[in-house]
Amino acid sequence: MRDTERRVRPDYGVSIDGVITGYIEVKAPGKAVAPAALRGHDKVQWERQQDLPNLLYTNGTEWRLYQDGEHRRTVHFTGDLYDGKVTAPPEFEALLTDFLVWKPAPITSLGGLVTAIARMTRLLRGEVLDQLAAEHTVVRGGADERLQPFLGLAAEWRAMLFPHADEATFADGYAQTVTFALLLARTEGITVFGESLHTIGEKLRADHSLMGRALQLLTDDVARDFRVTLDLLARTVDAVDWARIRRGGRDTYLHLYEHFLDAYDPELRKRSGVVLHADRGRRADGQAHRRCPRHPPRQAAWFRRPRGLHGRPGHGDGNLPARGTRADRGERRRPRRAGSRLRCGHPGR
């Protein structure tokens, strides 16, 4: 599968059994492919492509394999491409094998989760910006703007939520919302790879109607080539082992969004002002458990609407209670009426 229309996306995508496995970027013979030597457009292109989890960079004689953000192998051919006399060393077979058999490794730690989803969310954000630019091009060529899926979504985003949001803000909100909707689905035991995103949204709506519907609205009408990136994100999220990650501490969810922003976009973190103090996090987590005795903190503390602790990806407050408990703020606890029920974030309970 080759993409010749966009200047940032790699030249080729490699699919095995109908699933995208990796990407190949091909440079002109003799052109530099080492990141430190890249300049201009090639440097901009690399800064985007390095977030791909399985990428092969080559100029025909130098082959570099990058997986999960790390440089794995480099192989050099001998000879001259222009006279057709080149020889591949034995190590080239191992490089190709590593490239072709790649699949997401199980994500078993908070650090691994943050790194993986930050890369994929940045990649998705860039793809949204590319798609918007492509749709503007076809509109200038005479196409109906109302029929362009992402221009339409961006217009609705502004009309319903943020009137002054530019396209970069929309792309960021889109990418974060889709990513965290898929992560939320995994916490509920929903398989997110191999299922249509519409079906995932339908399953998610059973307990999280807002996020489930948002996932459907944002992904139902996207073009086939854009779905490649969404499928790659879903494949990555499906590798998350929440049971192992939770063993690292009960504050996992409280810290997730803060650490995510640090890895995803440090400047956005500074602008949004997301800060979680360790003491407040621990106390608020306990408060969540007291509010919802039937559900442990790992469920009560994340994305519960309309009451309880919740987060809004892309809107600065993250998955954490920014103000802490009443005791943290020096406020007196209100007396509870006899017979009143403890409230949790689960609608109808």
Side-chain angles (χ1 to χ4, degrees):
M1 177 177 65
R2 186 176 185 187
D3 189 335
T4 59
E5 296 182 0
R6 300 188 185 185
R7 301 177 62 202
V8 176
R9 185 179 291 179
D11 295 310
Y12 297 92
V14 178
S15 177
I16 298 178
D17 294 331
V19 176
I20 287 291
T21 297
Y23 293 87
I24 303 175
E25 175 64 23
V26 181
K27 299 298 184 183
K31 198 168 188 179
V33 292
L38 299 178
R39 299 290 184 271
H41 169 70
D42 289 338
K43 183 178 180 181
V44 173
Q45 188 179 45
W46 164 252
E47 288 171 351
R48 278 273 302 276
Q49 292 178 354
Q50 66 179 329
D51 284 327
L52 289 164
N54 191 28
L55 175 65
L56 195 55
Y57 243 62
T58 183
N59 59 10
T61 54
E62 181 178 353
W63 298 73
R64 288 175 163 260
L65 177 62
Y66 298 89
Q67 292 180 322
D68 301 318
E70 297 184 6
H71 178 208
R72 301 293 189 189
R73 294 176 181 267
T74 296
V75 171
H76 295 272
F77 288 8
T78 57
D80 189 341
L81 279 174
Y82 288 103
D83 63 18
K85 297 178 181 179
V86 293
T87 302
E91 296 82 6
F92 187 59
E93 181 178 357
L95 180 145
L96 285 181
T97 300
D98 288 349
F99 176 72
L100 293 173
V101 303
W102 175 88
K103 62 179 180 179
I107 299 172
T108 59
S109 69
L110 180 60
L113 171 62
V114 165
T115 300
I117 64 171
R119 284 200 304 263
M120 293 306 303
T121 308
R122 276 196 306 267
L123 186 67
L124 182 56
R125 178 178 62 181
E127 287 288 308
V128 173
L129 289 171
D130 285 351
Q131 186 67 32
L132 288 167
E135 291 180 7
H136 279 302
T137 299
V138 299
V139 168
R140 287 193 295 269
D144 189 342
E145 182 173 347
R146 294 170 298 179
L147 300 180
Q148 309 309 310
F150 277 87
L151 289 177
L153 281 173
E156 292 175 5
W157 187 281
R158 283 188 286 268
M160 293 188 295
L161 299 173
F162 306 104
H164 304 295
D166 57 16
E167 290 186 347
T169 302
F170 164 72
D172 178 65
Y174 180 102
Q176 289 199 54
T177 301
V178 171
T179 296
F180 278 88
L182 292 176
L183 279 173
L184 179 58
R186 286 298 294 134
T187 70
E188 298 293 350
I190 299 171
T191 298
V192 299
F193 180 63
E195 289 270 22
S196 74
L197 293 175
H198 185 91
T199 299
I200 295 168
E202 196 64 39
K203 293 178 179 178
L204 197 55
R205 290 177 69 180
D207 290 312
H208 308 276
S209 59
L210 177 64
M211 291 300 285
R213 185 57 182 148
L215 181 64
Q216 292 176 322
L217 287 172
L218 293 175
T219 60
D220 275 355
D221 297 321
V222 299
R224 179 181 177 183
D225 63 341
F226 188 85
R227 286 190 179 276
V228 171
T229 303
L230 292 174
D231 290 344
L232 191 58
L233 171 63
R235 191 178 183 191
T236 301
V237 171
D238 208 52
V240 176
D241 186 341
W242 280 116
R244 293 279 298 277
I245 292 174
R246 291 185 189 113
R247 295 176 193 170
R250 69 178 192 175
D251 291 346
T252 297
Y253 291 140
L254 292 173
H255 291 288
L256 175 59
Y257 192 67
E258 180 185 21
H259 294 315
F260 165 79
L261 277 184
D262 271 336
Y264 168 67
D265 191 333
E267 288 302 315
L268 179 62
R269 160 78 187 277
K270 292 177 184 177
R271 294 196 303 271
S272 65
V274 174
V275 176
L276 177 66
H277 299 290
D279 290 342
R280 285 189 176 185
R282 283 191 290 271
R283 285 194 294 267
D285 189 63
Q287 179 75 356
H289 197 187
R290 289 193 296 274
R291 286 182 181 177
C292 187
R294 293 177 56 194
H295 303 87
R298 64 183 177 86
Q299 291 185 358
W302 202 38
F303 281 118
R304 295 300 180 182
R305 293 182 181 275
R307 297 181 298 275
L309 303 177
H310 61 274
R312 296 180 296 165
H315 299 88
D317 52 347
N319 311 322
L320 48 96
R323 298 183 62 199
T325 64
R326 289 179 179 274
D328 293 333
R329 301 194 300 270
E331 296 178 22
R332 297 177 58 187
R333 184 182 300 275
R334 295 178 183 176
R336 189 183 299 116
R337 295 194 307 272
S340 64
R341 297 181 61 186
L342 294 174
R343 294 194 307 171
C344 73
H346 298 261
R349 295 176 181 168

